[in-house]
Amino acid sequence: MSNFRIWKLVSLLCVLSLMLGCESKEERIQQTITHTLQEASTAINTLGTALDKKQVRNANLLTEYGKVLSQQKPQLSEIAQIISQDATSSGTLYQSLLTRYQSLKSPDPSMNSDDIINQAVLLKEAASISLFNDALTDPINVLADMSDGKLARVGAISQQAEQTANGQTGIGNQLVGNANYGEWQTNSNGTSFWMWYGMYRMLGDIVGDVEYGRWSKHRKYSYYSDYGRHRYTSYRGYKRQTELAKRTKQSYQRQGKQFTSPYAKKKSGASGLSRSSNTPSAVTRSSYSRTSSYGSVRNSSSRTSRGVSRGK
């Protein structure tokens, strides 16, 4: 090789090195966003496949509970079937992961790059099979409580033990406050009540009216409220919950009453959850904390994905 060609090759390598070294912070941030979204996509697709192939233990159990309750109490067969849908990739719990992923691809204007990255990390965690398996204990236990003891609770203490620990228990309370099934709506008097979404409205006949202030004070154990809320709530949903607690506290203070956030401490009730549920999230959610090092998130895994494409 001639000296000229060697010099030309060395010059080209130097230029490439300079270009790589001059990568802007904005470019690194965008690469991190792309990477974390790809990881979330991979996790969601993997979970969806596992559900379709009936490889998620509690999903299979939820299906069986729905069948048993429908046979035991035909009058509850419709709600049993609706709740049992969470055992599939067509269910509300899984579909909410897809919706959140799509929203992150066109994020809310109020979200900055750190929020997007943090949300993608939380979404990846929520889509892990072990955590999703634990999240299914809430719908399972709703069906169990409806069976008058014929079906046993899973991942939670018994109804009798819960009544001793947290006071009077109520059927269906595991899904109250869960942003995947409903939302808190405030009336003209400033009082907030739980409103079920669409097909879950019939749960209102079983659960009854639930007022936010009273629920906050007497909330029962649920996986969502005590372990999964950070991972299984959208960015906007989490903010609404935080704002509602703040408004309610201010309202109570004006009336000379004390208000404690429903999430101030965990309720007694968990039993045999996976290690993943007891492991803090990789993201500090108390204030949607800033990612201190974009590279640390980006380098956490080298896997990539073409993106979520499930359209069920």
Side-chain angles (χ1 to χ4, degrees):
M1 183 180 292
S2 66
N3 289 338
F4 175 76
R5 295 181 68 182
I6 293 175
W7 176 85
K8 189 173 182 181
L9 178 61
V10 170
S11 298
L12 178 61
L13 291 173
C14 289
V15 170
L16 289 173
S17 297
L18 285 172
M19 290 175 64
L20 292 173
C22 292
E23 183 182 60
S24 68
K25 179 181 178 181
E26 289 72 20
E27 289 173 327
R28 292 197 302 273
I29 292 173
Q30 189 55 51
Q31 288 175 1
T32 302
I33 290 174
T34 300
H35 181 77
T36 51
L37 283 173
Q38 287 174 339
E39 288 199 315
S41 170
T42 298
I44 293 171
N45 279 325
T46 299
L47 173 62
T49 298
L51 288 169
D52 291 342
K53 292 184 176 180
K54 302 186 184 304
Q55 295 174 340
V56 180
R57 178 173 52 84
N58 279 344
N60 296 333
L61 188 61
L62 178 57
T63 299
E64 290 303 311
Y65 271 37
K67 292 178 180 177
V68 171
L69 183 63
S70 294
Q71 294 173 355
Q72 179 195 4
K73 295 185 174 183
Q75 71 275 20
L76 296 178
S77 61
E78 185 175 359
I79 188 61
Q81 291 171 13
I82 289 172
I83 293 175
S84 296
Q85 286 184 16
D86 271 334
T88 72
S89 59
S90 298
T92 295
L93 199 57
Y94 180 79
Q95 286 295 312
S96 69
L97 302 182
L98 289 176
T99 300
R100 287 167 58 192
Y101 172 80
Q102 293 300 329
S103 68
L104 287 179
K105 294 174 67 176
S106 300
D108 188 299
S110 67
M111 298 177 69
N112 58 36
S113 55
D114 291 312
D115 294 329
I116 298 170
I117 292 169
N118 290 346
Q119 283 294 304
V121 171
L122 288 166
L123 195 53
K124 174 189 172 183
E125 293 176 352
S128 72
I129 292 177
S130 60
L131 281 171
F132 195 85
N133 190 71
D134 284 347
L136 288 175
T137 58
D138 280 344
I140 285 175
N141 291 332
V142 169
L143 298 185
D145 290 354
M146 289 180 181
S147 74
D148 299 328
K150 182 172 183 178
L151 299 170
R153 284 186 174 186
V154 174
I157 58 178
S158 68
Q159 283 181 286
Q160 183 178 0
E162 181 184 67
Q163 184 173 348
T164 300
N166 299 324
Q168 184 65 39
T169 186
I171 294 176
N173 69 82
Q174 293 91 342
L175 300 184
V176 173
N178 189 322
N180 295 289
Y181 304 97
E183 63 181 356
W184 296 103
Q185 293 188 358
T186 305
N187 61 23
S188 58
N189 296 324
T191 303
S192 299
F193 290 89
W194 181 250
M195 298 294 292
W196 300 96
Y197 291 141
M199 61 184 180
Y200 295 101
R201 290 190 184 280
M202 62 183 68
L203 270 171
D205 296 331
I206 299 173
V207 179
D209 292 336
V210 181
E211 189 269 323
Y212 181 72
R214 182 172 176 78
W215 174 81
S216 298
K217 184 176 181 180
H218 301 287
R219 180 179 69 79
K220 309 300 187 296
Y221 165 79
S222 72
Y223 177 81
Y224 173 83
S225 294
D226 290 293
Y227 289 89
R229 190 169 70 98
H230 294 163
R231 294 174 172 120
Y232 290 97
T233 310
S234 69
Y235 177 82
R236 295 180 67 181
Y238 194 91
K239 288 186 69 174
R240 285 196 296 267
Q241 290 177 349
T242 303
E243 291 166 358
L244 176 58
K246 182 178 179 179
R247 290 199 310 270
T248 305
K249 182 176 182 179
Q250 293 172 342
S251 175
Y252 272 49
Q253 288 177 336
R254 288 194 294 268
Q255 300 174 54
K257 298 189 295 185
Q258 185 177 6
F259 172 80
T260 302
S261 167
Y263 313 109
K265 65 178 182 179
K266 291 180 180 179
K267 299 292 184 177
S268 300
S271 173
L273 297 177
S274 70
R275 179 179 299 178
S276 298
S277 287
N278 287 285
T279 301
S281 169
V283 176
T284 301
R285 287 296 296 270
S286 59
S287 59
Y288 288 96
S289 66
R290 298 292 179 258
T291 304
S292 61
S293 173
Y294 293 105
S296 65
V297 176
R298 182 184 172 196
N299 295 328
S300 63
S301 173
S302 61
R303 293 176 297 172
T304 59
S305 165
R306 293 183 180 178
V308 169
S309 59
R310 305 178 72 88
K312 299 187 179 181

